[in-house]
Structure formats: C-alpha cells, structure tokens
Amino acid sequence: LAIFLRTGTQGLNAVDLARHLLGEFGSLRALLEADLKKFTSHLGLGSAKYCQLQACLELSKRYLQESLQHSQSFTNPNDVKLYLKSLLGHQKREQFVVLFLNNQHQLLATETLFQGTINSSEVHPRVVVEKALTYHSAAVILAHNHPSGSLEPSPSDRHITDKIQEALGLLDIRTLDHIIVAQGGSYSFAEHGLL
C-alpha cells in the first residue's frame, strides 16, 4: 500500500500513512471499496490516489481473468472462485454473471447479464441461452453475489438455476456450477450436490 501511495503527508512517511489508513478503514478491503467521497475525506488521500488504487484493483481483476482465459482448462474450482470473488465480492448491488466456456472448459467470455437492487436481480434464462449461443459455448458457470453477506442459496436462486440448466440442456450446453459470492466467501451448487 505504501508503494502505491508513493508519498506520505506532513508528519507521516508513506509507510506510516499506509498503517494509519489501514487502522482508520479497518482493512485493506474497506479502503479499496470506499467511494471517492469517503476515501478523500481521510488525511493524505486525494482523487489522484483514489484513481491509482482503483486502477490497481482493476488491473488485478483483469490479470485474473486473463490468467483464466489462457489456462488449459477450468479444472481448478478455487481459481474460478478467486476470480469471481474479485469480480463480485465488493459489489453493493446484486449482479448475475455467466462464464462462457468451450469444449475444453477454457474461458471464452465473462458477462454480467443482470443487475438488481440491493436484494435481488431479475434473471431471464432466455438471455443466458442467447449469449451462450453467441459465444458457441459448450458449458457455462453461473455466478451471482449476495450483498447481504449470506452464502445460503435462496429458493429463487435454486429455481432460476434449475430453469437455466434445463433451457441450456435442450441445446447440449452444460451448466457446470452456480457460485454465490458474499463477503464471507463463496458457495458452490456443484460442491453441495445441487446441480
């Protein structure tokens, strides 16, 4: 953090400022998730440093996505969860994301197809099917976040998963998993026998 801050402020060098900020925000995650107004209200932080740290965060996300796109295949569920946590873990509103995969389970594309309110997102299986056909997908991984922090799938989460799996199945497109992301971690439908 001190390296990215580059400079300190009066009475604090960059390392001391980094320690001070981590103490004030409570965690690195809280610091990186702060909006511009909250971020710049702290000693030694301006809009330039905000932009720089946000760029670092975005660069990390893109690195993870590129690593997944160039990997041989999606054989490691932990890599997928790590990527999805970086993509969805900090979102304040519910988002529904689909990872589109080829026959070798290599990542073709990641798309946020639906965004909802703080509590819900309207998901339409037809849109997922259309996108899967556009990418010539052989398989998909569904994912969404729970801003509430709960990792338990709701009855509507289970219902929409079944509907999407059924619709894609008619076209021989496999649904490999549905992963719920929350601040406390992630929940895999496949690992819990729900697919």
Side-chain angles (χ1 to χ4, degrees):
L1 180 60
I3 289 169
F4 288 114
L5 290 173
R6 291 189 334 246
T7 60
T9 188
Q10 189 173 6
L12 294 174
N13 63 30
V15 173
D16 292 334
L17 177 60
R19 283 190 188 119
H20 174 75
L21 291 171
L22 289 173
E24 281 193 355
F25 280 91
S27 69
L28 180 61
R29 180 186 184 119
L31 173 70
L32 293 173
E33 290 179 0
D35 61 19
L36 178 62
K37 184 177 180 181
K38 183 175 181 180
F39 185 88
T40 56
S41 70
H42 290 268
L43 176 70
L45 299 180
S47 56
K49 286 184 179 173
Y50 176 80
C51 291
Q52 185 176 1
L53 289 178
Q54 290 302 305
C56 290
L57 187 59
E58 183 63 27
L59 188 64
S60 297
K61 288 179 194 172
R62 292 183 187 195
Y63 169 77
L64 283 170
Q65 182 175 15
E66 192 173 306
S67 296
L68 292 174
Q69 285 174 324
H70 291 99
S71 68
Q72 290 299 320
S73 63
F74 263 11
T75 55
N76 186 346
N78 290 329
D79 289 344
V80 178
K81 289 178 186 176
L82 179 63
Y83 171 61
L84 290 169
K85 285 180 198 174
S86 74
L87 188 67
L88 295 171
H90 65 284
Q91 298 293 335
K92 303 288 188 253
R93 295 185 180 277
E94 191 165 311
Q95 296 193 11
F96 189 89
V97 170
V98 181
L99 307 181
F100 298 96
L101 311 171
N102 66 15
N103 273 325
Q104 290 76 40
H105 297 172
Q106 294 170 312
L107 185 64
L108 299 169
T110 302
E111 286 219 27
T112 302
L113 296 184
F114 307 101
Q115 295 186 29
T117 64
I118 198 159
N119 294 321
S120 66
S121 174
E122 277 295 316
V123 178
H124 303 285
R126 174 181 46 83
V127 175
V128 178
V129 170
E130 287 173 359
K131 288 289 186 178
L133 291 172
T134 299
Y135 289 113
H136 305 286
S137 302
V140 300
I141 296 173
L142 311 173
H144 76 283
N145 62 317
H146 280 177
S148 66
S150 169
L151 282 174
E152 285 298 312
S154 68
S156 62
D157 292 340
R158 291 176 186 225
H159 177 72
I160 196 61
T161 302
D162 291 342
K163 288 187 70 89
I164 292 171
Q165 185 177 21
E166 182 182 336
L168 290 170
L170 294 172
L171 301 168
D172 290 327
I173 300 170
R174 295 178 310 282
T175 304
L176 301 180
D177 206 346
H178 185 163
I179 297 174
I180 298 172
V181 175
Q183 286 190 358
S186 60
Y187 179 97
S188 163
F189 277 53
E191 288 175 358
H192 287 85
L194 297 178
L195 284 179

